[in-house]
């Protein structure tokens, strides 16, 4: 149906700095200089079956990028808790293509002012089209709740000069990543239509790290489900594969636990600011279809004061003052360590939650950060702040929880303090999440544990916004002026990008670094600023986790190289409904990477 004559574009002068960037950078990527067009008549097959029809572009399912296939059937987990790779691929293909055709990017911000037309192919010449996209998955796997590394996420992508495209992958997740890259290769023309100017294309790609996550705190501030789904879309575009939900904290308990109804009824900030079991299923299956495994954290034994609203007898030191003595931030409180009602409560809590997690995730995070010894002076069942008294109680507490988690076939995750400060004896299946330093990551791996990196000096996105505490006039005002927070300065995308998850880890232990997570603690973030707090900074961590801190020559990746690609990707995210902040002002993006460099 399309003319196959090749357009000769003599007037096209490609700016070599703006070469149909892909974010995160693929492992290998070669391009030519042929122009191809693409339109919704493209034939797309998945393992030989038709997977796209142009009519799908106009159907009701595509009115919004963010409310796609969230219904439970046919794409939700079935009773056995599986989502087939067919349903992952068959939902991903129309989603990706519709998104490209509906939310195309006219790249005027990426070329010198008023010169866009010089960089665009002639719109009136005869056109060669990409006529087919043949998607092949070599090993249809149904497992979408893998442990890190169990799924091969690699893919190969080609587009020939003649307009034939292929995506090959082992798993459905590889297909997702290939599609994500494919649609980034096309621009919208200012006179209509979509094109790529760098065919033929050949990409071979695979992730550097197995665990590429965002930790989102939904307890300090609550987020409506659609806000979480929107972040899952953006995570998938950046080839992340984990969303860690920090589900509970001292300030609120937003998750409905039907067998312990007072937890959210009294512990949520307000009626309605909760996640029901069906909300959770929606989040989990929406993410699974996008290659993102959602896993949940109940932080404990500290960070649990919100439980006291419904079950006051379980919590020690609830709201104790002066709070600085008993906890890292108000309100203080901890589950009591010697109260026999606490294990009964925990058994019920996990019995309720774990079966609802199991179909969608391989992990459960039991927290364990910032346990404050003084809290237990006020615990009537302990009355001590002595490490020697507390340590065995915490060991018993964690063992009980982890045994229950293992019994349903999940793998426990803990914060680093449980291992490094409390010296707990933990079986080697436990994944230890580090946040305090590069040395911690190294020490955890040295002890033989699988570790998640995410040093707060680089990957805490809440930092640098200043104090959220108030200081009355007087000494504390003087002491804290000008009200910087403990982890100031702000981690801008360049600092996020400068972090090496392997820094501090001996070469022989590096295989134990599963990857890492960038963290969004929500004391000063809520649905109004969530997108711009996350994006584009999460993208910078995403490239490090997918592509590595170093390029193929072993050099540090450079901001000068990254900035134009990230600026382009940010525009694509904005076009698809993510309110990401700007990477640089237009003056810079209209130059090349060096225009605004030092
Ligand atoms: C991708 O291409 C490489 C190099 O040709 C090959 O070794 C690999 O098996 C291919 N992967 C897939 C998923 O087809
Ligand atoms: C930590 O535990 C190990 C073995 O369980 C023991 O050898 C070591 O002395 C302990 N360290 C501290 C600080 O208690
Ligand atoms: C590479 O980046 C690391 C931080 O990831 C930094 O410590 C190091 O100095 C950089 N090396 C060079 C040569 O710039
Ligand atoms: C980038 O832009 C600067 C300023 O306009 C120019 O001097 C430089 O030659 C350009 N570099 C490339 C590689 O295009």
């Amino acid at each position: 149906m399309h003319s196959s004559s090749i357009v000769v574009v003599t007037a096209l002068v490609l700016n070599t700095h703006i070469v149909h960037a892909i974010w995160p950078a693929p492992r290998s990527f070669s391009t030519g200089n042929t122009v191809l067009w693409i339109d919704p008549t493209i034939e797309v097959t998945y393992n030989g079956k038709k997977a796209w029809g142009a009519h799908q572009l106009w159907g009701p399912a595509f009115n919004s990028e963010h409310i796609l296939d969230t219904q439970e059937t046919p794409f939700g987990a079935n009773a056995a808790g599986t989502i087939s790779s067919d349903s992952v691929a068959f939902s991903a293909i129309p989603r990706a293509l519709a998104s490209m055709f509906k939310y195309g990017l006219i790249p005027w911000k990426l070329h010198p002012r008023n010169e866009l037309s010089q960089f665009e192919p002639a719109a009136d010449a005869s056109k060669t089209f990409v006529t087919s996209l043949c998607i092949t998955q070599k090993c249809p796997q149904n497992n979408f709740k893998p442990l890190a590394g169990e799924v091969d996420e690699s893919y190969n992508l080609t587009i020939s000069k003649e307009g034939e495209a292929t995506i090959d992958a082992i798993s459905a997740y590889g297909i997702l990543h290939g599609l994500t890259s494919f649609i980034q290769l096309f621009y919208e023309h200012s006179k209509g239509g979509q094109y790529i100017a760098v065919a033929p294309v050949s990409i071979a790609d695979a992730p550097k790290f197995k665990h590429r996550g965002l930790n989102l705190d939904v307890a300090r501030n609550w987020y409506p489900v659609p806000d979480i789904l929107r972040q899952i879309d953006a995570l998938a575009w950046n080839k992340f594969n984990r969303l860690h939900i920090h589900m509970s904290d001292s300030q609120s308990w937003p998750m409905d636990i039907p067998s312990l109804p007072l937890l959210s009824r009294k512990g949520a900030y307000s009626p309605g600011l909760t996640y029901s079991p069906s909300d959770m299923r929606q989040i989990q299956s929406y993410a699974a279809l996008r290659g993102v495994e959602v896993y949940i954290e109940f932080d404990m034994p500290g960070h649990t004061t919100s439980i006291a609203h419904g079950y006051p007898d379980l919590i020690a030191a609830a709201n104790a003052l002066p709070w600085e003595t008993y906890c890292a931030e108000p309100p203080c409180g901890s589950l009591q360590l010697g109260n026999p009602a606490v294990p009964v409560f925990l058994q019920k809590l996990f019995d309720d939650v774990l079966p609802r997690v199991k179909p969608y995730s391989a992990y459960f995070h039991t927290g364990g950060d910032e346990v404050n010894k003084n809290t237990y002076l006020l615990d009537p069942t302990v009355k001590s702040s002595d490490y020697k008294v507390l340590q065995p109680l915490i060991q018993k507490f964690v063992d009980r929880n982890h045994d229950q988690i293992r019994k349903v076939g999940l793998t426990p995750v803990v914060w680093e303090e449980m291992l490094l400060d409390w010296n707990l004896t933990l079986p080697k299946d436990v994944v230890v999440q580090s946040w305090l330093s590069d040395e911690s990551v190294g020490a955890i791996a040295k002890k033989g544990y699988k570790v998640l990196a995410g040093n707060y000096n680089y990957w805490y996105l809440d930092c640098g916004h200043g104090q959220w505490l108030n200081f009355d006039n007087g000494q504390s005002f003087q002491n804290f002026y000008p009200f910087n927070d403990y982890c100031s300065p702000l981690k801008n995308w360049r600092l996020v990008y400068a972090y090496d998850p392997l820094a501090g880890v001996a070469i022989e232990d590096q295989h134990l670094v599963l990857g890492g997570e960038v963290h969004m603690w929500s004391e000063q973030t809520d649905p109004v600023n969530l997108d711009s707090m996350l994006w584009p900074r999460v993208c910078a961590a995403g490239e490090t986790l997918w592509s590595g801190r170093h390029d193929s020559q072993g050099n540090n990746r450079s901001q000068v190289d990254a900035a134009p690609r990230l600026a382009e990707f940010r525009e694509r995210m904005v076009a698809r409904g993510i309110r990401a902040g700007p990477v640089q002002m237009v003056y810079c993006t209209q130059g090349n990477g060096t225009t605004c460099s030092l």
Side-chain angles (χ1 to χ4, degrees):
M1 132 185 254
H2 300 298
S3 148
S4 61
S5 65
I6 296 195
V7 187
V8 183
V9 214
T10 44
L12 185 70
V13 187
L14 277 175
N15 181 332
T16 51
H17 279 258
I18 300 154
V19 282
H20 298 252
I22 290 184
W23 189 279
R27 200 164 275 196
S28 84
F29 184 15
S30 72
T31 54
N33 55 16
T34 298
V35 173
L36 296 172
W37 296 77
I38 192 167
D39 77 10
T41 65
I42 183 172
E43 282 180 21
V44 184
T45 57
Y46 166 66
N47 289 345
K49 285 174 268 178
K50 183 172 155 65
W52 162 255
H55 67 279
Q56 289 179 290
L57 191 50
W58 325 119
F62 296 102
N63 286 337
S64 160
E65 166 72 6
H66 306 297
I67 53 163
L68 302 183
D69 50 58
T70 52
Q71 72 273 26
E72 270 190 59
T73 54
F75 297 131
N78 63 24
T82 56
I83 288 181
S84 71
S85 56
D86 272 15
S87 49
V88 171
F90 278 120
S91 62
I93 291 162
R95 189 171 64 236
L97 293 179
S99 156
M100 173 175 72
F101 290 124
K102 285 193 64 166
Y103 308 108
L105 173 64
I106 300 174
W108 64 269
K109 282 190 188 172
L110 309 174
H111 296 293
R113 73 186 75 192
N114 304 321
E115 287 181 20
L116 175 63
S117 61
Q118 292 181 34
F119 294 87
E120 289 186 317
D124 45 6
S126 67
K127 296 173 177 171
T128 304
F129 279 79
V130 181
T131 52
S132 65
L133 170 60
C134 174
I135 300 173
T136 310
Q137 184 187 334
K138 296 190 169 152
C139 175
Q141 286 179 338
N142 292 334
N143 184 359
F144 66 91
K145 42 165 204 139
L147 288 168
E150 283 178 354
V151 165
D152 184 323
E153 296 182 272
S154 68
Y155 71 92
N156 291 342
L157 189 169
T158 65
I159 305 176
S160 75
K161 272 200 314 209
E162 292 72 31
E164 283 156 358
T166 64
I167 294 173
D168 291 337
I170 309 293
S171 71
Y173 293 161
I175 306 276
L176 292 181
H177 300 317
L179 285 164
T180 300
S181 295
F182 181 79
I183 64 173
Q184 279 184 48
L185 289 165
F186 294 87
Y187 292 121
E188 187 160 316
H189 197 286
S190 56
K191 296 200 168 68
Q194 307 234 350
Y195 66 94
I196 174 174
V198 295
V201 170
S202 175
I203 294 173
D205 202 6
K208 165 90 177 164
F209 291 105
K210 303 159 185 163
H211 182 121
R212 306 178 303 280
L214 165 68
N215 170 25
L216 180 63
D217 164 13
V218 301
R220 268 56 173 267
N221 267 305
W222 183 84
Y223 300 96
V225 171
D227 287 306
I228 296 176
L229 302 185
R230 194 169 67 252
Q231 308 319 320
I232 290 169
D233 280 310
L235 287 170
W237 303 336
N238 285 275
K239 300 189 172 80
F240 279 80
N241 63 3
R242 296 288 186 272
L243 173 62
H244 161 184
I245 300 184
H246 181 82
M247 185 58 88
S248 61
D249 214 300
S250 284
Q251 291 78 11
S252 83
W253 185 290
M255 187 174 180
D256 288 339
I257 308 296
S259 64
L260 294 162
L262 298 184
L263 272 175
S264 65
R265 193 181 305 155
K266 297 207 165 180
Y269 278 131
S270 173
L273 301 199
T274 60
Y275 303 106
S276 68
S278 85
D279 291 336
M280 288 311 303
R281 245 183 343 262
Q282 183 182 12
I283 292 168
Q284 290 162 313
S285 63
Y286 189 92
L289 286 168
R290 286 156 179 78
V292 177
E293 183 177 322
V294 174
Y295 73 105
I296 294 170
E297 175 188 357
F298 289 152
D299 198 355
M300 52 181 59
H303 288 275
T304 48
T305 319
S306 58
I307 295 172
H309 295 283
Y311 303 92
D313 297 344
L314 305 179
I315 299 296
N319 307 301
L321 293 173
W323 62 264
E324 313 90 277
T325 305
Y326 298 105
C327 61
E329 73 178 48
C332 297
S334 167
L335 283 164
Q336 296 180 1
L337 293 181
N339 179 348
V342 167
V344 174
F345 165 85
L346 292 171
Q347 181 77 32
K348 204 165 180 182
L349 172 64
F350 283 106
D351 272 345
D352 188 307
V353 167
L354 296 178
R356 295 191 275 122
V357 167
K358 186 178 159 61
Y360 300 96
S361 177
Y363 297 99
F364 201 93
H365 198 316
T366 59
D369 60 324
E370 298 181 320
V371 175
N372 184 305
K373 296 192 187 77
N374 292 336
T375 298
Y376 303 103
L377 290 169
L378 306 182
D379 180 341
T381 67
V382 180
K383 290 187 183 140
S384 172
S385 60
D386 183 350
Y387 173 87
K388 288 199 282 302
V389 173
L390 298 176
Q391 201 274 355
L393 293 171
I394 291 181
Q395 178 78 55
K396 197 170 151 203
F397 178 91
V398 170
D399 284 347
R400 202 218 65 80
N401 291 338
H402 287 190
D403 286 348
Q404 195 177 352
I405 286 166
R406 286 191 192 90
K407 239 175 235 152
V408 300
L410 299 178
T411 294
V413 185
V414 293
W415 290 108
E416 66 169 80
E417 289 98 317
M418 291 288 97
L419 183 71
L420 299 181
D421 292 356
W422 289 93
N423 202 17
L424 296 192
T425 303
L426 297 169
K428 290 283 157 57
D429 63 333
V430 174
V431 175
V432 181
Q433 178 159 33
S434 176
W435 65 283
L436 283 163
S437 68
D438 293 348
E439 291 69 32
S440 299
V441 180
I444 294 161
K446 185 54 72 194
K447 287 173 182 282
Y449 289 91
K450 295 188 274 294
V451 54
L452 301 176
N455 184 329
Y456 77 99
N457 290 298
Y458 299 85
W459 280 13
Y460 266 31
L461 302 180
D462 55 313
C463 296
H465 289 266
Q467 287 279 350
W468 50 269
L469 294 164
N470 302 323
F471 301 96
D472 206 355
N473 293 336
Q475 200 52 50
S476 72
F477 181 102
Q478 305 300 337
N479 289 350
F480 282 89
Y481 188 88
F483 317 116
N484 290 325
D485 54 58
Y486 80 102
C487 53
S488 181
L490 184 133
K491 317 309 173 198
N492 92 357
W493 74 263
R494 295 173 184 81
L495 188 55
V496 172
Y497 200 62
Y499 177 54
D500 183 357
L502 297 176
V505 185
I507 305 258
E508 67 273 17
D509 300 330
Q510 290 186 355
H511 65 283
L512 290 164
V513 181
L514 296 179
E517 294 184 354
V518 60
H519 299 265
M520 186 69 262
W521 302 110
S522 294
E523 284 91 346
Q524 301 189 78
T525 302
D526 77 358
V528 175
N529 64 345
L530 177 62
D531 286 22
S532 59
M533 285 293 283
L534 291 175
W535 312 101
R537 294 187 292 160
V538 174
C539 304
E543 180 151 293
T544 299
L545 289 167
W546 178 271
S547 319
R549 167 71 179 127
H550 303 110
D551 64 19
S552 54
Q553 276 82 54
N555 298 316
N556 283 346
R557 286 183 192 280
S558 136
Q559 295 165 17
V560 176
D561 168 76
R565 292 187 298 110
L566 184 55
E568 172 175 336
F569 194 51
R570 181 266 178 171
E571 297 306 322
R572 292 185 186 276
M573 292 177 64
V574 169
R576 290 198 245 164
I578 304 292
R579 297 177 71 84
V583 173
Q584 287 185 305
M585 63 179 142
V586 177
Y587 165 74
C588 303
T589 65
Q590 286 190 332
N592 51 46
T594 64
T595 311
C596 294
S597 294
L598 194 60

